[in-house]
Amino acid sequence: MTVATSDVEAIVFEVIEELLDTIDTDFEDELSSSALLVADVGFSSIDFVQMIVSIEEKLGAKIGFQDMLMSDGKYVEDLSVGQVVDFTVNRLNNPQLAVATPEAVATPEPAAATGPTITEQDVSVFTTLIKPRQAAGAPPAAGKNPRAVFVLSPPRSGSTLLRVMLAGNPALFAPPELHVLSYASMDERRADLDGERGDQLREGAVRSLMQTRDWSAEQARDLIESYEARGESTGEFYAQLQQGLGQRLLVDKTPTYAFSVDILRQAETFFDNPLYIHLVRHPCGMIRSYEESDLTRMMPLMMKSSAFSSSAVAEMIWLMSNRNIMQFSQQIPAERWCAVSYENIVNDPQGQMGRLCDFMDVDYHEDMIHPYSDNNARMTDGVDNSSKMSGDLKFHLHSQIDPAAATRWRQFCSEAMLGEPTLDLLSTIDTEVARIRV
Ligand code: A3P
């Protein structure tokens, strides 16, 4: 049956009008099809994601809005309300269009390099600027917590996609970013994760408790606040969370853990023989993704490093995080360590999930390769609002595992833009850790 434009128009208008009540904008006109979402209505990128998630919720269908927002591999600057309606109608009437075409998956030609490359000296300056945390919590009073799994990667490495794929396995509990291991105590965590961005980063722990106990957000927040008020150790908080899991393995993916080896070591203090998944991605893909995201604006530590361009900051985060992870891996027995690349995951989801299941000693489950099914069980909705899921909001723009996302950077960047230290580590990772030069 063909979907009528007027029905879709009603939904899109309703969603945008609901959003207008929640965002900071001067727009007071009557909404029309010709209104531009950024220039007229005052949308930011996060509002686009919220709009998309709400439209899909109301329609009960994934639309694949990534294609609407992209033109020649770049994000479009603006869109009219009418364009959103037309795209949605077209996709509903032609669902086969949402499936990646062979052209979209083809590897684009590399682009030329620009600007100076980073040096080892830059990395030293950068590392002192961000002053990585030195978490040193005591082991839990009742002894080490049961085994947990940590996904270790720099930000923008496809970690949200991997986390949601793992969450599809009933033997695993893989919530949104917890941001717990970086701190010795829950009050220290509360003090550090402050402001609007901090509030969002604390939501993963709230969402996890809601899921394990079948609690409301209010109940989960109350429990966390009581831990904060008592200055309880973060190890005790993990113990509380794991009590609600039964036999399921907790999977904590929080990219900022890799900012310091001390943070990573805390996992060994808190847990009984924890497992580690090192997720790697090509540095150019990570840098391009970082530049397109709002991370520079949102993360205070990134602002302190304004002496460097955003691509240099991204490159140094890639380098520093992967160096820390690889240094930490030296202390871990081989049977507790597994490396996987984003490039391999998107090109061979089933094979890579099978490998990870063997490593974690859990049965493979078919739902792992369907990350867009069952939002609630996978905790891809936020606590109060879908767009507030902590982690990558771009996850919502895709409607399936998209192999083209792994090579899109080649249209804009090349390895020639990378500094010597990065190229050295890239070669080591690609040959000794996991293939990322696909
Ligand atoms: P790009 O910005 O290059 O597109 P993280 O979760 O670690 O922040 O990683 C974000 C990256 O994962 C983004 O890369 C995002 O597009 C990619 N990603 C999210 N969902 C995806 C999917 N379904 N298929 C392929 N890539 C996905």
Side-chain angles (χ1 to χ4, degrees):
M1 198 179 68
T2 309
V3 176
T5 302
S6 56
D7 293 343
V8 173
E9 199 167 51
I11 289 175
V12 171
F13 273 60
E14 187 187 323
V15 165
I16 297 173
E17 268 152 14
E18 281 169 8
L19 265 176
L20 280 171
D21 292 336
T22 64
I23 65 176
D24 186 18
T25 171
D26 299 331
F27 183 75
E28 284 175 356
D29 302 347
E30 181 138 351
L31 197 61
S32 70
S33 291
S34 59
L36 290 170
L37 288 168
V38 176
D40 301 333
V41 181
F43 264 27
S44 64
S45 50
I46 199 163
D47 302 321
F48 270 98
V49 177
Q50 173 67 60
M51 174 187 76
I52 282 163
V53 171
S54 301
I55 293 173
E56 288 180 339
E57 266 170 17
K58 285 186 197 278
L59 290 169
K62 285 299 288 177
I63 301 297
F65 278 113
Q66 170 89 348
D67 298 339
M68 175 183 80
L69 298 177
M70 294 234 121
S71 170
D72 296 332
K74 286 195 188 131
Y75 282 93
V76 296
E77 308 252 307
D78 211 340
L79 281 173
S80 70
V81 176
Q83 282 175 293
V84 178
V85 173
D86 292 345
F87 182 88
T88 311
V89 172
N90 189 26
R91 276 294 157 96
L92 286 171
N93 287 329
N94 303 286
Q96 74 282 3
L97 293 177
V99 177
T101 59
E103 287 76 20
V105 181
T107 304
E109 282 303 303
T114 50
T117 59
I118 63 146
T119 61
E120 206 58 73
Q121 202 188 350
D122 293 332
V123 182
S124 310
V125 173
F126 180 72
T127 313
T128 51
L129 271 175
I130 66 163
K131 293 192 186 67
R133 300 196 72 77
Q134 294 184 315
K144 287 193 178 184
N145 292 332
R147 166 170 279 184
V149 184
F150 288 87
V151 175
L152 307 178
S153 73
R156 313 308 302 173
S157 300
S159 60
T160 306
L161 174 64
L162 173 57
R163 188 288 281 167
V164 178
M165 292 172 84
L166 296 175
N169 189 316
L172 305 172
F173 180 78
E177 296 174 10
L178 290 175
H179 293 276
V180 171
L181 193 69
S182 315
Y183 307 98
S185 65
M186 292 300 280
D187 53 328
E188 186 193 331
R189 174 179 184 268
R190 178 71 188 84
D192 192 52
L193 297 181
D194 211 8
E196 199 189 326
R197 174 73 179 152
D199 288 349
Q200 195 181 333
L201 296 180
R202 283 185 286 110
E203 294 290 74
V206 177
R207 186 69 185 80
S208 306
L209 286 174
M210 288 167 68
Q211 194 81 2
T212 54
R213 309 289 149 105
D214 214 7
W215 278 351
S216 66
E218 190 87 53
Q219 287 171 299
R221 286 199 181 104
D222 282 352
L223 182 97
I224 293 175
E225 275 166 26
S226 72
Y227 271 64
E228 291 164 358
R230 294 201 303 273
E232 201 72 80
S233 92
T234 44
E236 298 296 345
F237 178 76
Y238 276 118
Q240 165 74 271
L241 183 59
Q242 285 180 302
Q243 271 165 29
L245 299 186
Q247 295 302 308
R248 285 177 296 171
L249 266 178
L250 172 67
V251 181
D252 182 355
K253 93 91 182 161
T254 306
T256 45
Y257 294 166
F259 287 6
S260 147
V261 180
D262 281 327
I263 295 174
L264 302 177
R265 280 197 199 106
Q266 190 154 254
E268 292 285 304
T269 311
F270 285 173
F271 296 91
D272 181 25
N273 289 315
L275 301 176
Y276 302 95
I277 298 173
H278 182 189
L279 170 66
V280 293
R281 180 181 187 181
H282 194 288
C284 293
M286 179 270 172
I287 294 166
R288 176 76 194 165
S289 182
Y290 179 94
E291 287 192 286
E292 282 177 353
S293 75
D294 278 342
L295 279 187
T296 325
R297 187 172 58 77
M298 288 194 205
M299 292 181 90
L301 76 85
M302 313 298 167
M303 288 175 196
K304 287 190 211 146
S305 46
S306 55
F308 298 107
S309 68
S310 65
S311 75
V313 169
E315 182 173 341
M316 288 187 282
I317 290 175
W318 182 93
L319 187 60
M320 177 192 74
S321 304
N322 280 305
R323 275 182 176 171
N324 288 339
I325 296 168
M326 289 169 74
Q327 183 189 332
F328 178 61
S329 75
Q330 306 293 313
Q331 309 161 17
I332 307 299
E335 66 275 12
R336 291 203 278 124
W337 195 272
C338 183
V340 65
S341 79
Y342 166 69
E343 288 77 5
N344 282 341
I345 290 174
V346 294
N347 283 299
D348 175 23
Q350 190 165 5
Q352 298 304 312
M353 289 309 111
R355 264 188 71 220
L356 290 178
C357 287
D358 289 346
F359 166 65
M360 292 181 284
D361 198 19
V362 299
D363 289 336
Y364 173 77
H365 196 283
E366 188 63 18
D367 286 357
M368 298 178 86
I369 58 167
H370 302 293
Y372 291 90
S373 65
D374 199 355
N375 290 357
N376 183 50
R378 290 171 198 257
M379 295 166 272
T380 48
D381 49 347
V383 169
D384 308 305
N385 156 338
S386 307
S387 78
K388 297 268 169 70
M389 169 183 87
S390 60
D392 171 41
L393 293 173
K394 269 196 196 169
F395 172 80
H396 291 296
L397 302 184
H398 298 280
S399 53
Q400 60 188 352
I401 299 169
D402 179 7
T407 45
R408 191 168 55 84
W409 60 267
R410 293 198 184 168
Q411 289 169 272
F412 313 99
C413 324
S414 80
E415 287 184 12
M417 69 178 246
L418 301 173
E420 211 57 56
T422 316
L423 286 168
D424 286 348
L425 190 61
L426 166 62
S427 294
T428 308
I429 289 183
D430 191 49
T431 51
E432 294 170 24
V433 178
R435 300 293 324 169
I436 47 182
R437 278 172 161 148
V438 291

